[in-house]
Structure formats: C-alpha cells, structure tokens
Amino acid sequence: MVSNETMPILSNARGTPTVTAQVEGPKRPKPFLLRPEDACAFVIFGASGDLTSRKLIPALYNLACQELLPPGFAVLGVASSPMNDASFREHMCQRVKHSPEVLVFRQKLWDEFVPALHYIMADFADAAGYQQLGQRLREMDQEHGTNGNRLFYLATSPSFYAMIAKNLAQHGLVSRRSGAAGWTRLIVEKPFGRDVESARRLDEMIHTVFDEEQVYRIDHYLGKETVQNILAFRFANSIIEPIWNRHYIDHVQITAAETLGVEHRGKYYEEAGCLRDMFQNHLFQLLALVAMEPPVRHYGQSVRDRKADVLRAVMPVSAQTLAEVAVRGQYGPGERQGQPVPGYRQEPDVAPDSSTETFAALKLLLDNWRWANVPFYLRSGKRMPQKLTLIAIEFKRVPHLFFAETPQDQIEPNVLTIRIQPDEGIALQLGAKLPGPELYLRQMQMNFSYGEAFGEFPATAYETLLLDAMQGDPTLFNRSEAVELSWQILEPVLEAWQATRAGTSFPNYAAGTWGPARADALLARDGRAWKNATTLPRFYVTEADT
Amino acid sequence: MELALEKMDDVTVVILPGEELDASNAKEFKGDVAPLLQPQAKVVLDLSQLRFVDSSGLGSILSCLRQLTTTGGDLKLCGMSQRVRALFELVRMHRIFDIYTTRDEAVRAFRPEREPQP
C-alpha cells in the first residue's frame, strides 16, 4: 500500500479529498511539478550580479536536473561586465558547483544544461545594446526554438526598471498580446518603489509597455514552502478554520529577526531602512496569508484578491496614534556569539549620525468581521540574538480553570507557532497534567518539523516562482494593487519618522538584543509579551547562522 | 537499522534492510550511513529490498549524495523495484541519481574504462 502522502490529491464531486492516482497499474501518477509547454528565452538584466549567480542560475540548473525546463529553453544574460558566452558559463559553473542551493552538482547534468546559457555585454541605457539584444533573441529563436517567447527578469537596481522597460518597447521587444509572435512577460524584483507615489509612477511607466497580466513582481518569500504551507495549514484542515478568528484568537505576532548587521549593503540600507526593506513586502505578505479569507481556488486572481482585502482592511495609522502603535530602533555596538560587533553607525557606507531604523515594530488592527479588535504585532530587526522568522498565534485563555493546585495565571494560553525559518515547521503549545498524584499543569509542545516529515530538500523558492512565471501563473506574485496598498499602510509612519529624524535617540538597542525597550512596552501596554528565545519552544536554540 | 555492507574493490555496497524508508526511520538511516560517507568514498546503495520510500526517505538518500559529491565521492543506486523507481520519477529525482539495474552494473560504473550508460 502506498502512503497517501506522496500521491496527488484532488477533490471528488462531494468535495471530499480523494487519492486519484496509483503508483502501480496502467495509470502512472502525474509528477508533482509539470514541465511548462512553451519554450522561452529567459533574459536576465543584471546577469553579472550576485542574484543571478547565487539564486537564479542555481534554480534554473535544479529545474533542468528535474526535467522541468521546457524544451527549447535558453538564458540570455545582459550586463555591462565584459563577458562572453564562454566566460559567463564558466563563471556560473564555479558558482553553481559550490552553491548550497543546488540539489547536487553533477558534471553530466551541467554539461546538458550549459549550452542554454548565453551572454551579451550591454549598457542598459544604450540603444545599441537593445539592438544587439533583439538580434541575439532572433538568433536564439532559430537556435533553440524559443518561438518569440520572452521572459525578462530585472535583476538590476530598481533605478533601471523604467529605463529598461521603455527601451524594450522602443526596440520592438515586447508583445502585448500572446499569439504567433510569442508572449512577453516581465519579472521585477523588490523593492517596487519606495513610497505610494514612486510605486504608482513606476507602475504607470511599466503599464505603458506591459499589461498588468504580463508583470510578475517577485518576492521570494512567497515561494518558500513554509509560506505556501500557511494556506495549506489553514484551509486543508477542517479543525483550523472554525477557530481562526476573533472568537478564539487573542492576538497574532509576526517576527522576522536577523542576526546579521547591514554588512556590505550600507548604501542601500541608508536609503531604505527596516520598514521599506522588510515590512512592505515580506511581513505584509505573511500578514495577508494569515488573515485572508478562503479564496475560491488556488490560482490567478482569487488568492491575490483575498490578500488585497486584508491589506485594504488594515486600519490607518494616524499621527495621533503613531507613538502607541509604532516603534523604531537602531542597533549600537554589542556582541554576537561572544564577539564584539560594531553598531550600525560604524558600518561601511553608513553616516556616523544616521537616523535610519534597523528595527521596527508595528501594532496593526484589521477593520473587518473576522479580526475585529485582534491586534497583529509585526516586528523585524537586524543584529538580533537569533535568525528567526515566525508567526505566533496566541489563543484566548480558557474562561474558567478548576485545577486548584495550579493558579490560573500560571497556565499559559495555547500558542500556535508557524516557523518560516529556521527549523521549518509548526508547534502547538498545550497545557498538560504533570505525572504524579497531584493535578499540576505544565506547558508542553506538539511539534511538526518539515525536515523530519519530508526530508531536508534544499530551498526551492526561486524554482517554484520561475516555473510559475514560465507557465503564466501569477498566484504567487504581487499585484500592482497590493504593492500600492502596502505603501499606503506604511506611508504615514514613513512620513512621521522622516519628519522627526532629528529627534531619534539612536542607537537605542545593543547588537545581539531583541530591540529597543519601547518595543517590549508596545505589547506590555496590552498585557502581552513578544515570543522570544525565552518564551519559545526548545526548537529555538541559538544557532550560528551566516 | 542494520546496514549490510559489502566491499567490492574500493566500492562500498550498502544493502538497505527493510521494505520501507520513510519518516519513521530516515533519520536512523542517515545516522547509520554517515560513517561511510567519507571524502572520495564510492558508495552503491542497493535498494532491492525496498518497497516504499516517501519524501523523507528520498531526502535522506539525497543528503548522502550531496555529502559525497561535495567531497569528491559519489553514490549510485541499484536494485530499484518498479514501484520505487516510479516514486523517484514522481518527485523528479530519477535524473539526479545514477540508477542501475544490478549491483554489478553499479559497481562497474565506478570504473571509468568500462562505464556503462545508466
């Protein structure tokens, strides 16, 4: 008997999930992932950059190993660094060989994959570069059979997005309608704008060239297995949904903590700060997945509509309430793993009097039926004690406790912890009787670990997302509206913080701690506390992440 | 988990005992096989007794392959039943591994002069 775990599961007419495929017998099961049908040219602007060699090419190589790239697939790298096909291939080979992202490096599989890699040296601002690009793409249509299908990936600084889109159109490299001439799609990396106005302007510019259906705004968080599992956990388990609301849930915490400082990204970070870098995309996406209503189906607009509803429901932060719902911080010198580390202002490319926040915490309320008066506390910071991304759902306390030996205030509420990283999994904290003649209660954990249940496969976020883009499935990509809504939520905070930059008492937390005291006060005012190392299950041991 | 070992020249053949490799014993398998995954080791994993492997079991075999290939060694698989092969294909792992029908073929494949096609 084959376990259902490995079988594709569909619903029958009555809506009951059924296993539809058997391993043995005449009908063989369909593979979990399907190979895209359309050949295409995958054009990477910024191909000499870190993202290409660290994430994109390893992901494409993994897909090639699994026969998930369409026949006739080819990559064309575009950047200003002096390289040709041969040197680009060699550079990528060295990076893929030592990449922790690849399933396994096998020379035989690499040799099969590598003829698909091409490179042209071009300046993004130079018309000649786009003429060369057009010529090379036409040649690739002949050589590889890419059939005029183009997937453009902007792995460049955001300042080039508008320029590249405009030039692609001016040189006739964009088809707005798919047809005999092929389709064109555009993948855009975050950050998409830096406020409502700039995001809107960028959208308007891109929409003069591409229809919204052709634009795929990528946030690799959405491709993570554990992030996708939030919807599976909520909507594939009938015991969860009935308690997922204000009647049972006291509050929700979302934490994305990093142990690293700003490293070599000081220049970027000085302009961005924590709110723009983490909240507008990653944290708000997690918020949307936790709080959304059930979609009609897991495809296209349905999921994105429901996620947008959540962002639309976030109650605006006003100047009057700002101090009560938002906290910012910046790390000063401190310690990591017993070693002294510099403060933010001592990092390279950072102003010695910088007022950029490296930590932010927000308390948000959703103005809708399901979540009325349930606070969502979001925080993110650099140089914290643990690398940790998690969602903690704290349920309400029981209304009456009759265990005389255990005082009510010693019984913790149930907490469901969804660990996005590390040690991906889900834990539920429960009260249980201690063994012995007396009826003492203590907290225990029920734990589901991805690694133990499904094996330790390497991360697959980019594989999933690239495959979806090739197949024209936008479900896991951000829509224009959601990006704008995210900026709308943040804008009052960004503006107020900008206006009071001079008044910050930075640094206000030491590297290696959980942020400023005011972040603790944010929850303490409501009689709550952050789920930190001391309050989390044993799975969170301090680890030496890099 | 009692792994049966056989040495054929410089190749170590590991015969996986039991019919199942899944979440219940994948961790144990990884622990037991770990001492064999030395740098540059040539290992054949004989799966002829295996009837069922889930993603956790597959992950443990993949983990062996990753460890070996990063230190100059390699892992080849042999003796897969049709069912197990189908499961490898289901999760598209069949090209990642070198898979041979018999143990002898897998061992011979480590000898470059007579390398057959997998």
Side-chain angles (χ1 to χ4, degrees), chain B:
Chain B
M1 181 178 289
E2 198 139 326
L3 299 173
L5 304 180
E6 200 173 301
K7 199 79 178 165
M8 295 173 80
D9 297 331
D10 58 345
V11 179
T12 305
V13 178
V14 181
I15 299 134
L16 192 71
E19 296 191 346
E20 294 176 356
L21 183 61
D22 56 22
S24 69
N25 59 0
K27 204 170 177 180
E28 187 187 353
F29 165 69
K30 271 178 76 173
D32 291 346
V33 82
L36 305 172
L37 309 179
Q38 298 298 319
Q40 298 178 321
K42 299 171 181 174
V43 179
V44 168
L45 187 59
D46 186 334
L47 303 176
S48 52
Q49 294 179 40
L50 196 66
R51 291 290 168 271
F52 171 69
V53 58
D54 74 355
S55 48
S56 180
L58 273 169
S60 65
I61 300 175
L62 179 64
S63 158
C64 296
L65 176 68
R66 282 163 63 88
Q67 187 166 339
L68 282 168
T69 53
T70 50
T71 57
D74 204 356
L75 173 74
K76 299 183 190 301
L77 308 180
C78 69
M80 271 186 201
S81 67
Q82 200 183 343
R83 169 187 286 189
V84 170
R85 169 86 192 193
L87 286 163
F88 270 73
E89 289 176 13
L90 191 71
V91 291
R92 293 187 175 274
M93 285 289 126
H94 56 292
R95 268 166 44 92
I96 305 287
F97 291 96
D98 282 346
I99 301 171
Y100 298 85
T101 309
T102 67
R103 195 185 299 180
D104 284 345
E105 282 175 22
V107 172
R108 273 204 306 274
F110 275 112
R111 296 174 191 145
E113 71 276 16
R114 295 178 59 195
E115 188 166 4
Q117 291 302 307

Side-chain angles (χ1 to χ4, degrees), chain A residues 378-429:
Chain A
L378 281 60
R379 70 171 166 168
S380 179
K382 288 191 174 294
R383 281 276 184 241
M384 303 190 83
Q386 289 174 280
K387 181 176 180 176
L388 180 71
T389 303
L390 68 81
I391 301 163
I393 319 283
E394 184 167 313
F395 290 86
K396 293 189 172 174
R397 290 176 185 273
V398 292
H400 172 65
L401 206 62
F402 52 82
F403 305 103
E405 290 82 359
T406 307
Q408 176 124 5
D409 61 0
Q410 287 185 19
I411 299 298
E412 293 297 317
N414 299 125
V415 179
L416 182 82
T417 313
I418 301 172
R419 305 186 300 272
I420 306 296
Q421 63 178 13
D423 187 22
E424 294 82 349
I426 297 173
L428 179 61
Q429 177 176 284

Side-chain angles (χ1 to χ4, degrees), chain A residues 95-130:
Chain A
R95 293 299 300 264
V96 168
K97 247 182 200 171
H98 302 106
S99 168
E101 306 280 331
V102 300
L103 289 164
V104 66
F105 182 82
R106 282 207 174 278
Q107 192 63 48
K108 181 184 69 173
L109 296 173
W110 176 258
D111 290 345
E112 286 174 24
F113 171 65
V114 78
L117 300 186
H118 302 278
Y119 183 89
I120 56 169
M121 191 177 116
D123 187 324
F124 304 146
D126 183 8
Y130 293 89

Side-chain angles (χ1 to χ4, degrees), chain A residues 435-457:
Chain A
E438 302 296 336
L439 221 166
Y440 288 115
L441 302 183
R442 286 292 180 272
Q443 305 306 305
M444 51 78 73
Q445 299 286 338
M446 285 173 65
N447 182 41
F448 154 67
S449 159
Y450 251 88
E452 284 179 19
F454 298 121
E456 290 163 10
F457 284 83

